[in-house]
Amino acid sequence: RILGYDPGEMQGMDAAGFIHPDDLGLITESFRKNLAGTKTANIETRLKKQDGRYTLLEFSGTPIIKDDIFSGMQVIGRDITERKEAETELQKANTRLMANEEELREQYDDLARSQKNISESEAEYKNILRTAMDGFCIIGPAGSVLDVNDAFCTTTGYSRDELLALTLADIEVKETESDIAG
């Protein structure tokens, strides 16, 4: 059934004709070892199906010994093609997973380096902002005061904490046309 034959068709056929040529040596060697002892041998081999394709089978063979004389071999075979294909797919998935994991590690390392660079840049910017002689005020998109330096505090007369609680609209000088013409 596994090879696509009716049981009667296979009687009298040479078993070696079914074995993949690359596996014939493995089968022969296993058979020789089995003749020398009484232990069960397990092998995997490819067998040719009636349609010419190969299928992977696992065989378990035990010699039959009667009165200390080899009288035959009991062999059980099962098709493991689907299992092997699933194992191959699992291995491929595992390889992809490991590659993804490595990529994530690299991205994490890049992110950590970027974060360190940002922290260093931020410390440098804050140092420049704090020590500048001119007044600087950093305003957020909604007009909130995000940061100021001491010179800006001196110019406006507000403390740093007071300015950080205000918006640009709160501290902006509202001039009328007469103030400007004035």
Side-chain angles (χ1 to χ4, degrees), residues 59-86:
F59 286 102
S60 176
T62 305
I64 300 171
I65 309 290
K66 287 185 181 178
D67 300 324
D68 292 330
I69 299 172
F70 177 81
S71 65
M73 178 82 79
Q74 178 183 1
V75 179
I76 299 171
R78 70 179 169 165
D79 189 344
I80 59 170
T81 304
E82 288 182 12
R83 184 186 86 196
K84 285 298 188 176
E85 288 171 356

Side-chain angles (χ1 to χ4, degrees), residues 7-176:
E9 288 180 276
M10 294 187 74
Q11 288 182 351
M13 294 177 93
D14 182 9
F18 295 104
I19 300 169
H20 191 282
D22 294 344
D23 297 348
L24 196 53
L26 172 71
I27 300 289
T28 303
E29 182 63 26
S30 177
F31 185 72
R32 279 192 193 124
K33 285 181 181 177
N34 241 325
L35 287 176
T38 57
K39 67 180 199 171
T40 301
N42 294 316
I43 58 169
E44 293 177 5
T45 188
R46 295 165 285 181
L47 293 185
K48 191 174 192 178
K49 296 169 74 168
Q50 187 179 30
D51 64 9
R53 293 181 298 140
Y54 283 91
T55 190
L56 187 60
L57 279 86
E58 177 181 61
F59 286 102
S60 176
T62 305
I64 300 171
I65 309 290
K66 287 185 181 178
D67 300 324
D68 292 330
I69 299 172
F70 177 81
S71 65
M73 178 82 79
Q74 178 183 1
V75 179
I76 299 171
R78 70 179 169 165
D79 189 344
I80 59 170
T81 304
E82 288 182 12
R83 184 186 86 196
K84 285 298 188 176
E85 288 171 356
E87 287 173 0
T88 300
E89 288 303 313
L90 182 61
Q91 182 63 34
K92 287 178 185 177
N94 189 43
T95 300
R96 286 190 305 268
L97 181 62
M98 289 171 50
N100 288 343
E101 182 180 6
E102 181 61 30
E103 184 179 335
L104 283 173
R105 279 192 184 115
E106 289 173 9
Q107 289 176 355
Y108 177 79
D109 290 345
D110 288 347
L111 184 61
R113 281 190 294 277
S114 295
Q115 183 62 38
K116 182 181 177 207
N117 290 341
I118 288 171
S119 295
E120 289 171 357
S121 294
E122 186 177 351
E124 186 177 340
Y125 130 78
K126 285 186 176 187
N127 185 45
I128 292 170
L129 181 69
R130 298 272 181 264
T131 60
M133 300 299 283
D134 295 325
F136 284 98
C137 177
I138 299 176
I139 305 297
S144 59
V145 177
L146 300 177
D147 205 357
V148 295
N149 66 355
D150 292 339
F152 190 82
C153 292
T154 302
T155 302
T156 62
Y158 289 103
S159 71
R160 184 171 192 282
D161 290 336
E162 289 172 325
L163 285 167
L164 293 177
L166 299 174
T167 65
L168 181 61
D170 296 330
I171 58 174
E172 186 176 43
V173 176
K174 310 249 190 292
E175 296 180 337
T176 63

